[in-house]
Amino acid sequence: MSKDSFLFTSESVTEGHPDKVCDQISDGVLDKILEKDNKGRVACETFVTVGLVIVGGEITTHAYVDVQDLVREIIREIGYADSKFGFSYKTCGILNAIGTQSPDIAQGVDIGGAGDQGLMTGYACKETPELMPQPIMLAHKLARRLAEVRKKGVLPYLGPDGKTQVTLEYEAGQPKRVETVVISSQHTEEILDKTGKKITGKSRDEIIEKVALPIIPKKMIDAKTRFLVNPTGKFVVGGPQSDTGMTGRKIIVDTYGGMAAHGGGAFSGKDPTKVDRSACYMARYIAKNVVASGLASKCTIQIAYAIGVAKPVSLMIFTDRTAKVPEKRLVELVHKHFDLTPRGIIQELDLLRPIYRKTAAYGHFGRTEKEFTWERTDKAKLLAKEA
């Protein structure tokens, strides 16, 4: 590597990873409530372990949700439909431990205040068409591909649990080549070699051919690029059978893969009065529009709130010396054209809809589906003109 080069790594996980199972259940509960009661207050947490799912949290609503049926349906759709993977929607136990939201919080939220204190971060850059860092986008696409070849029967021996990781070499601040690709996927015993301790070379090559090569840009692969498939040798025991899962433990996977700062708050299971979620979506929306406008090549937004107070206590914009106008001017433009109150964010991004389970796997940002309103760049031209 040259003296101005560095390596950067991001990871993603499949929808069958225990933590992501929990995120999808929590957001599935949120969606069911919003379908019937868009004024419901939801902070839903899920925990999974061997044969058991616990759903808890604080929810205030007049809607009824059959948590048992919902949880089993989500687990089935993810792919845990057969006991051969150590966890099944048919036989797992489900414990409902949901309570109501504290009235002390509600009295501040009811008047339009933030549902919590904290700092929220948004980011955008020009590395990909989605204006996202390339390492996390490639990791997400690999994880999606793992699920696709499993569900379509291309590689029928794969299980729902899996992780991907991509290391890129950067030169002069731009991604240049792929250094390492790691793919770890749960699988059945049929692809183990005679020792029973590792998968066959044929299976390894097949996973590289069917999963990695369709995703990684050919121009970024060279003779030094490494592909590591199930580096421990095998991955038969996976999912909740091998690892507990909890809502909100994949916040870096959910956001920018470590390329940007993170305020610390998780997203899944929270209705949009919780600025942990909604303000992060707004921060991404702002950052993406700033970059799409051409006013900066990179943009980090930080917004901070006090619980029960509508307007943010601070707004920061950092462009890593790529801005074409002073960052102070960008702050002025944001205050002028974006409503940063919880009610303003909810209205601008149309967040009182049952759209959240789709966000709970493969990242909340860099998505093209219509539900992801925070990915629009509809204010880019306005910002460019006024700047």
Side-chain angles (χ1 to χ4, degrees):
M1 294 193 301
S2 61
K3 63 180 181 180
D4 64 343
S5 297
F6 62 91
L7 299 178
F8 189 89
T9 302
S10 293
E11 73 156 349
S12 183
V13 298
T14 65
E15 62 210 65
H17 185 281
D19 292 333
K20 278 293 151 199
V21 170
C22 293
D23 285 344
Q24 289 168 91
I25 290 172
S26 294
D27 272 336
V29 171
L30 171 60
D31 281 352
K32 283 296 183 182
I33 289 173
L34 290 177
E35 284 177 8
K36 304 173 183 178
D37 177 16
N38 66 10
K39 295 183 180 180
R41 299 281 164 73
V42 182
C44 181
E45 308 285 345
T46 304
F47 170 82
V48 299
T49 187
V50 182
L52 177 65
V53 181
I54 301 175
V55 184
E58 298 77 47
I59 298 178
T60 302
T61 181
H62 60 70
Y64 170 74
V65 176
D66 189 325
V67 174
Q68 290 266 343
D69 284 354
L70 176 64
V71 169
R72 294 193 192 281
E73 178 61 17
I74 291 173
I75 293 171
R76 185 192 66 79
E77 290 179 3
I78 289 170
Y80 288 109
D82 194 315
S83 58
K84 68 182 178 181
F85 293 121
F87 191 75
S88 171
Y89 79 98
K90 298 177 183 177
T91 58
C92 66
I94 301 171
L95 174 62
N96 184 344
I98 295 172
T100 58
Q101 185 185 59
S102 164
D104 297 343
I105 297 175
Q107 69 179 5
V109 177
D110 289 343
I111 60 173
D116 201 353
Q117 70 176 48
L119 50 133
M120 295 78 202
T121 302
Y123 181 75
C125 64
K126 288 189 173 181
E127 289 182 16
T128 66
E130 300 89 354
L131 302 185
M132 286 283 287
Q134 192 166 22
I136 187 64
M137 290 306 297
L138 289 176
H140 283 324
K141 289 176 181 179
L142 287 171
R144 276 185 176 273
R145 181 64 180 167
L146 270 177
E148 180 183 18
V149 298
R150 168 176 62 89
K151 292 180 175 180
K152 290 183 175 180
V154 177
L155 300 178
Y157 49 77
L158 295 184
D161 193 2
K163 302 179 77 172
T164 60
Q165 186 171 287
V166 178
T167 300
L168 296 188
E169 179 183 342
Y170 280 71
E171 190 171 276
Q174 296 299 315
K176 177 185 177 184
R177 56 177 293 273
V178 174
E179 172 74 14
T180 306
V181 175
V182 183
I183 299 174
S184 297
S185 181
Q186 184 183 15
H187 59 85
T188 58
E189 294 184 350
E190 68 188 82
I191 63 168
L192 295 177
D193 65 11
K194 292 180 180 180
T195 69
K197 294 183 178 180
K198 63 180 181 180
I199 63 173
T200 63
K202 178 184 177 182
S203 299
R204 174 191 175 277
D205 293 342
E206 190 174 41
I207 292 171
I208 292 173
E209 177 189 352
K210 301 296 185 182
V211 178
L213 295 184
I215 299 299
I216 304 298
K218 292 182 180 179
K219 64 181 180 180
M220 299 187 76
I221 299 174
D222 59 27
K224 295 182 179 180
T225 300
R226 296 190 302 162
F227 292 90
L228 304 178
V229 178
N230 286 0
T232 67
K234 67 177 184 178
F235 189 178
V236 173
V237 181
Q241 182 186 19
S242 66
D243 192 10
T244 60
M246 295 182 69
T247 301
R249 284 207 300 201
K250 287 291 177 284
I251 58 177
I252 301 303
V253 171
D254 285 343
T255 53
Y256 307 102
M259 187 68 77
H262 197 295
F267 300 156
S268 290
K270 298 177 182 177
D271 75 78
T273 66
K274 279 75 173 174
V275 284
D276 274 347
R277 179 172 222 156
S278 55
C280 279
Y281 290 174
M282 177 56 86
R284 163 65 177 171
Y285 179 48
I286 296 168
K288 190 172 184 182
N289 275 273
V290 169
V291 172
S293 73
L295 294 176
S297 298
K298 298 179 182 179
C299 184
T300 300
I301 309 283
Q302 186 200 72
I303 313 173
Y305 292 85
I307 189 168
V309 179
K311 291 186 177 181
V313 298
S314 70
L315 169 66
M316 182 277 294
I317 297 180
F318 175 67
T319 62
D320 197 16
R321 302 182 299 279
T322 68
K324 295 181 179 179
V325 297
E327 290 168 349
K328 183 178 180 180
R329 176 59 177 153
L330 292 176
V331 171
E332 293 172 353
L333 289 171
V334 168
H335 276 303
K336 180 177 180 181
H337 295 292
F338 297 87
D339 187 342
L340 301 182
T341 65
R343 284 179 177 171
I345 294 171
I346 290 169
Q347 181 176 355
E348 175 71 46
L349 300 181
D350 195 12
L351 296 180
L352 291 176
R353 298 173 294 147
I355 60 173
Y356 295 104
R357 186 183 158 195
K358 189 174 285 189
T359 70
Y362 311 116
H364 292 246
F365 308 123
R367 304 282 289 270
T368 58
E369 299 94 320
K370 61 179 173 37
E371 293 90 349
F372 292 70
T373 52
W374 48 92
E375 292 297 311
R376 300 178 316 208
T377 54
D378 54 328
K379 293 192 178 184
K381 290 183 179 179
L382 176 63
L383 294 177
K385 181 180 178 180
E386 289 214 13

